[in-house]
Structure formats: structure tokens, C-alpha cells
Amino acid sequence: MKNDRSAKADETRLRLLSAAEKLFAERGLDAVSNRQISEAAGQANNYAVGYHFGTRTELLNALLELHVEILDPIRLRTLDTIGTEPDLRDWLRCLIEPQLKYIGTRTGPSYFGQFWMAMATTPTTAPVLYTQAALSEPLIATLNGMYSALPALTEEVVQVRNLMTQNILITTFADFERRRNELGASDSTSWQGFSDAMVDGLVGLWSAPTTTS
């Protein structure tokens, strides 16, 4: 059992992470200082972020890891539903559904999707996001399955559609979350229909015919 001092430190870390994520989501990463995070978390010590996390990269990794601990089990449960002969739609559902379920069933406002978009669209932090994503075994398994289920496409077409898919996921998850927050974040069911529509759209994107020379 943790002692009171250790428990208090853990609580402080969670407060700092929560404050940092909200500020990053609302203002962008470069516009938020460690001092602002400390103040938003109710910490009198302006150096609390550095004390508990060290560098900005370590703070970002701690935030991502906090979510992955919950997201990966959802990803695994989704993978368990696709059967022995999954097709492209099944793999895309495994790519999309866990994030939307995670956002769409949270109690109260969430900022994960918007924080993720802020990281992905900031050149200095995008590599941190994708490095962390590469550590998720169920996510990598999903991506490998998706690529194996694609129709015959040239390498250039795959690269372009992969970039389009990344941008769609980044912006659409953030927009879904922002809209849910604006409506009071009380709806815990609409994510499913939203997920199905996203899957339909991305099946169309990857299955679209290519021009021939």
C-alpha cells in the first residue's frame, strides 16, 4: 500500500496531466508554458511540471501512456470480435471504433482527441506521438491486418491514401470530441453510429478505383 506522500504525489501528477491536456487541446502545445499548467492544476510551485515529469517530451509521453493503458484493452477486445477471416471493413472498424468508444463513453468533457490533433499537427511533437503509437501491439496488429486486406494498389497510391487516412482520423476524432463537449458530454451512445459512418467512408477511400495510364 502506498504511503500518504506517494499517494499525494500520484494525485498531483494526475492533476498536472489533466490540466496540461486541456490547455494543450484548447491552445496548442507551443502556446502553453509549464507555469500555466502548474497554475491550472492548482499548484503553487511553478516548477511542479519539471519536478514531476522532467522534460516536455516526458510530460507528453506520460499523457499518451495514461490513455494507452485504457485504449489498448479496448483495441484488443475489438480485435477479438472480427473472426478468422476479417476483411478491410473489419480492420478499419478496429482502427476507428476504439478511439471513438473511448471518447464517446467518457463521463464529462474529454480532451484526448483534441490533444492528439495538437500533437500530430505540431512538427516538433508529431514524432513523439507516432513513436508512442508504434509501441501499441494491438494498434500495429490492426494496421498490418488493414494493409494485408487492401486491394491491389501501387506504392504511391497507398502512401497518398495512408496520409489521407491519418488526416481524417486526426481531425475527425477531435471534431467529434469537441462537438460532444459543446453538447454537454452526456451522450454515450452516438459514437457508434459515428464510428460506422467513418468506417463506411474509409472503406470507400481505400476501395476507390485508380486511374490507369
Side-chain angles (χ1 to χ4, degrees), residues 55-115:
T55 66
R56 177 59 65 96
T57 297
E58 289 170 323
L59 170 65
L60 295 174
N61 274 323
L63 262 172
L64 292 172
E65 290 167 3
L66 186 68
H67 291 293
V68 168
E69 287 179 1
I70 304 172
L71 260 174
D72 270 0
I74 301 175
R75 289 171 173 147
L76 284 170
R77 288 194 295 272
T78 308
L79 284 168
D80 286 342
T81 68
I82 63 176
T84 58
E85 297 182 2
D87 58 14
L88 178 59
R89 180 179 296 276
D90 293 320
W91 290 116
L92 286 170
R93 181 171 66 82
C94 290
L95 182 64
I96 293 167
E97 184 176 289
Q99 277 89 338
L100 284 173
K101 184 175 184 179
Y102 180 48
I103 293 170
T105 57
R106 300 287 293 273
T107 301
S110 62
Y111 300 93
F112 167 64
Q114 296 162 86
F115 161 65

Side-chain angles (χ1 to χ4, degrees), residues 22-158:
K22 185 174 187 294
L23 289 173
F24 290 151
E26 294 176 342
R27 305 179 188 179
L29 277 79
D30 292 339
V32 178
S33 68
N34 286 354
R35 179 174 181 173
Q36 290 171 321
I37 295 171
S38 296
E39 291 176 349
Q43 299 301 304
N45 180 3
N46 292 328
Y47 300 98
V49 173
Y51 174 79
H52 285 278
F53 299 101
T55 66
R56 177 59 65 96
T57 297
E58 289 170 323
L59 170 65
L60 295 174
N61 274 323
L63 262 172
L64 292 172
E65 290 167 3
L66 186 68
H67 291 293
V68 168
E69 287 179 1
I70 304 172
L71 260 174
D72 270 0
I74 301 175
R75 289 171 173 147
L76 284 170
R77 288 194 295 272
T78 308
L79 284 168
D80 286 342
T81 68
I82 63 176
T84 58
E85 297 182 2
D87 58 14
L88 178 59
R89 180 179 296 276
D90 293 320
W91 290 116
L92 286 170
R93 181 171 66 82
C94 290
L95 182 64
I96 293 167
E97 184 176 289
Q99 277 89 338
L100 284 173
K101 184 175 184 179
Y102 180 48
I103 293 170
T105 57
R106 300 287 293 273
T107 301
S110 62
Y111 300 93
F112 167 64
Q114 296 162 86
F115 161 65
W116 191 44
M117 184 173 74
M119 282 199 70
T121 55
T122 302
T124 56
T125 60
V128 178
L129 175 64
Y130 294 119
T131 297
Q132 186 66 238
L135 299 176
S136 169
E137 293 184 5
L139 178 58
I140 296 304
T142 296
L143 290 172
N144 289 338
M146 185 194 82
Y147 292 130
S148 70
L150 293 179
L153 300 169
T154 66
E155 182 178 348
E156 180 181 13
V157 170
V158 171

Side-chain angles (χ1 to χ4, degrees), residues 135-213:
L135 299 176
S136 169
E137 293 184 5
L139 178 58
I140 296 304
T142 296
L143 290 172
N144 289 338
M146 185 194 82
Y147 292 130
S148 70
L150 293 179
L153 300 169
T154 66
E155 182 178 348
E156 180 181 13
V157 170
V158 171
Q159 289 177 346
V160 171
R161 295 187 184 183
N162 190 59
L163 181 61
M164 293 171 69
T165 299
Q166 288 180 3
N167 289 333
I168 288 169
L169 296 179
I170 290 165
T171 57
T172 308
F173 289 157
D175 286 342
F176 172 81
E177 181 179 68
R178 187 180 298 109
R179 180 58 176 165
R180 182 173 183 269
N181 288 350
E182 290 172 352
L183 294 175
S186 58
D187 179 5
S188 61
T189 60
S190 64
W191 67 269
Q192 183 66 72
F194 197 94
S195 176
D196 293 342
M198 280 191 71
V199 171
D200 289 341
L202 285 178
V203 168
L205 185 153
W206 282 104
S207 301
T210 60
T211 58
T212 57
S213 57

